[in-house]
Amino acid sequence: MSENAEYKPAHSNLELLNQALGSGTFIQTRRMLNSLPRTEVAHMIESSPPKTRAVLWQLINSDIEGEILPHLSDEIQAQFLSEMNTNELVAATEGLEPDDIADILQQLPNQVIREVLDSMDHQDRQRVEQILSYPEDTAGGLMNTDVITVRPAVTLDVVARYLRRHAELPEMTDNLYVVSRRDEFIGLLPLRKILVSDPSVTVREIMNTDVTPIHANLDDSEVARLFERHDLISAPVVDNNGRLLGRITIDDVLDVIREDADHSLMGMAGLGEDEDTFSPFSKTAPRRAIWLGINLLTAFAASGVINLFQDTLEKVVALAVLMPIVASMGGVAGTQTLTVVIRGMAMGHIDSNNSRWLITRELLVGVANGLCWAVVVAGAATLWFDDTIIGIIIAAAMLINLVTAAVAGAVLPLVLKKMNIDPALAGGVVLTTVTDVVGFLSFLGLATLAYA
């Protein structure tokens, strides 16, 4: 797109695109698609239903497909990759950064990966294979190998001449990496210091050695927290021997932060973070059915508790009317706590040193809110049914369930994490079961004792 072209927000471009497609002017659509920034094209594809998405992909010039693929979600990326032959894959990955190539190859069968790697020159293949040797959710799988290294003994004048030999510097280059002859990481040389320092000064004299490199096996969520905590733009990645392997840049970390946020949000509904907004019915229905089935089993457990008090319900019809209030209040209170705790765990704020304090705090919050709303609901129930006993029963049940919900919301994520079960995915279902069962059991149990 030319520098003088008028900027249009993404939704405007999408509207124009749909108008062009609707009128059948594919030449205009093709021209528009191929002139837009690659991230904008990826956004348009992700914002379109499957049939429109397929048409758009066909209209994109083959020489820019590879530039668009890294900006697509894993599910859509995998769909397009599955329709490409080896030659098309080789062409698509040509010119991409090694970390982007690795991300794409991880979506493919092993045989296809080998064919694509064999088509690369030795240096590029070695770089991509190094990234592929680490799990994709680690610093090694996240890193890029496009680093510029210098020795500590050379002068800044030599460094400047060395940089001028490059056609261009790698994107997000804010530092050069100082290494030993064995490629062991020593420190950083900021570009700004090269520009303002005496050219005769050596790298050793002005380099920054107060830097802790990131180990290649570190979890990507922890990498994101380090970037956030220290306001990093890039960071070195090393192996067990301290040898420099590559670097991680802020654009890759932003992807991790977004994926973690998506995971927490979608996990609370029992969905994966890669859930496609416009995925077809045949894929969407089975995914949701699994968790609906699990929830149905837990609902049967709550219904089983209610069935135990069938005689009491037949005697006092008001109990059936008030029952949902106890369960609903407990569910909301528990979800509030669960959300706070899962967020704290995702940000690395919660560990064994402060978890007890957090549980105690939530217990006190549960007691305070339980007492407050117990008084309100007791008064309302007493006036509604003109029965003081039923008001006392629902007040006691409300207090019990809100306290239980608060404690369960704080403890469940910690327990699930120790059991290697994803709290974001399973926490909501388990919590709902706990609050429903405890709510019904306490309310109907107390009623049975009172009206026996």
Side-chain angles (χ1 to χ4, degrees):
M1 190 158 58
S2 66
E3 292 181 8
N4 295 324
E6 182 182 356
Y7 171 75
K8 292 184 177 64
H11 62 84
S12 297
N13 284 325
L14 187 59
E15 190 174 332
L16 290 172
L17 186 71
N18 286 327
Q19 289 174 359
L21 282 173
S23 62
T25 54
F26 291 107
I27 295 176
Q28 179 186 346
T29 306
R30 181 191 293 274
R31 188 182 301 116
M32 176 185 176
L33 269 178
N34 291 286
S35 66
L36 289 171
R38 309 311 179 221
T39 54
E40 192 85 357
V41 177
H43 174 74
M44 287 184 172
I45 291 173
E46 291 189 333
S47 303
S48 302
K51 289 184 179 179
T52 305
R53 188 179 287 167
V55 173
L56 294 179
W57 187 249
Q58 292 297 322
L59 294 174
I60 294 169
N61 292 340
S62 58
D63 58 340
I64 66 169
E65 287 179 347
E67 299 173 36
I68 296 169
L69 281 170
H71 301 293
L72 296 171
S73 68
D74 288 347
E75 184 170 335
I76 299 175
Q77 193 181 99
Q79 177 191 336
F80 290 148
L81 290 172
S82 66
E83 299 168 358
M84 300 169 72
N85 59 41
T86 304
N87 291 333
E88 290 172 329
L89 288 169
V90 171
T93 56
E94 188 175 354
L96 295 182
E97 298 293 342
D99 61 333
D100 289 334
I101 297 176
D103 288 341
I104 290 173
L105 293 185
Q106 284 166 345
Q107 308 281 343
L108 302 172
N110 291 334
Q111 179 59 34
V112 179
I113 292 175
R114 179 44 53 193
E115 290 178 15
V116 175
L117 288 174
D118 288 342
S119 69
M120 298 179 181
D121 62 50
H122 176 71
Q123 186 180 41
D124 287 341
R125 181 169 64 250
Q126 199 171 34
R127 288 176 173 176
V128 174
E129 286 178 337
Q130 187 176 47
I131 297 173
L132 288 173
S133 66
Y134 293 96
E136 61 178 321
D137 59 351
T138 63
L142 196 64
M143 70 178 179
N144 205 327
T145 55
D146 61 345
V147 294
I148 297 179
T149 60
V150 294
R151 300 278 188 264
V154 300
T155 64
L156 296 188
D157 181 51
V158 173
V159 172
R161 283 189 277 120
Y162 171 61
L163 292 178
R164 283 193 289 271
R165 287 169 52 191
H166 291 73
E168 60 180 2
L169 297 181
E171 291 184 8
M172 303 283 180
T173 298
D174 56 333
N175 296 295
L176 305 185
Y177 294 86
V178 185
V179 296
S180 68
R181 293 189 180 277
R182 294 193 297 272
D183 285 333
E184 295 166 333
F185 176 76
I186 299 174
L188 298 177
L189 177 61
L191 285 180
R192 62 182 183 274
K193 286 194 175 182
I194 299 175
L195 297 174
V196 300
S197 301
D198 187 337
S200 63
V201 171
T202 63
V203 170
R204 179 178 287 108
E205 293 176 76
I206 64 168
M207 69 179 182
N208 180 12
T209 57
D210 187 22
V211 178
T212 302
I214 295 174
H215 193 278
N217 290 319
L218 189 67
D219 184 79
D220 60 359
S221 296
E222 185 59 35
V223 171
R225 284 193 282 269
L226 288 174
F227 267 71
E228 182 182 14
R229 198 175 302 147
H230 301 289
D231 293 326
L232 300 175
I233 295 175
S234 66
V237 180
V238 298
D239 62 13
N240 292 329
N241 300 316
R243 188 169 62 90
L244 182 68
L245 299 176
R247 66 180 184 133
I248 295 174
T249 52
I250 186 64
D251 57 328
D252 293 317
V253 172
L254 287 174
D255 290 338
V256 173
I257 293 172
R258 179 181 58 80
E259 287 169 5
D260 285 350
D262 286 347
H263 175 75
S264 297
L265 177 64
M266 302 296 278
M268 297 292 281
L271 301 173
E273 68 265 27
D274 294 325
E275 182 76 14
D276 180 9
T277 306
F278 295 99
S279 63
F281 161 81
S282 58
K283 288 185 178 180
T284 303
R287 287 173 181 169
R288 298 188 186 179
I290 292 172
W291 281 97
L292 286 172
I294 294 172
N295 187 70
L296 180 61
L297 292 175
T298 64
F300 273 124
S303 297
V305 172
I306 296 172
N307 187 60
L308 294 174
F309 302 98
Q310 188 175 1
D311 293 341
T312 306
L313 284 168
E314 289 175 354
K315 289 180 183 177
V316 187
V317 180
L319 296 177
V321 177
L322 296 173
M323 233 178 7
I325 298 175
V326 179
S328 176
M329 290 291 284
V332 172
T335 301
Q336 289 174 337
T337 304
L338 185 74
T339 304
V340 170
V341 174
I342 289 178
R343 176 178 176 272
M345 291 170 67
M347 296 178 69
H349 292 167
I350 299 174
D351 55 32
S352 57
N353 296 321
N354 54 30
S355 58
R356 180 171 295 184
W357 185 94
L358 186 64
I359 294 170
T360 303
R361 194 276 306 272
E362 291 302 324
L363 174 63
L364 294 174
V365 170
V367 171
N369 278 328
L371 290 171
C372 172
W373 293 108
V375 171
V376 173
V377 78
T382 301
L383 291 173
W384 189 357
F385 295 100
D386 194 23
D387 188 340
T388 306
I389 295 176
I390 207 167
I392 295 171
I393 291 170
I394 195 171
M398 182 78 72
L399 177 60
I400 292 170
N401 206 24
L402 286 184
V403 171
T404 301
V407 174
V411 173
L412 269 176
L414 303 174
V415 173
L416 290 172
K417 187 176 182 181
K418 284 188 177 181
M419 296 170 64
N420 292 321
I421 299 174
D422 188 352
L425 202 57
V429 175
V430 178
L431 179 67
T432 300
T433 305
V434 170
T435 55
D436 283 354
V437 169
V438 172
F440 295 143
L441 189 61
S442 58
F443 184 49
L444 297 177
L446 290 170
T448 300
L449 293 175
Y451 290 104

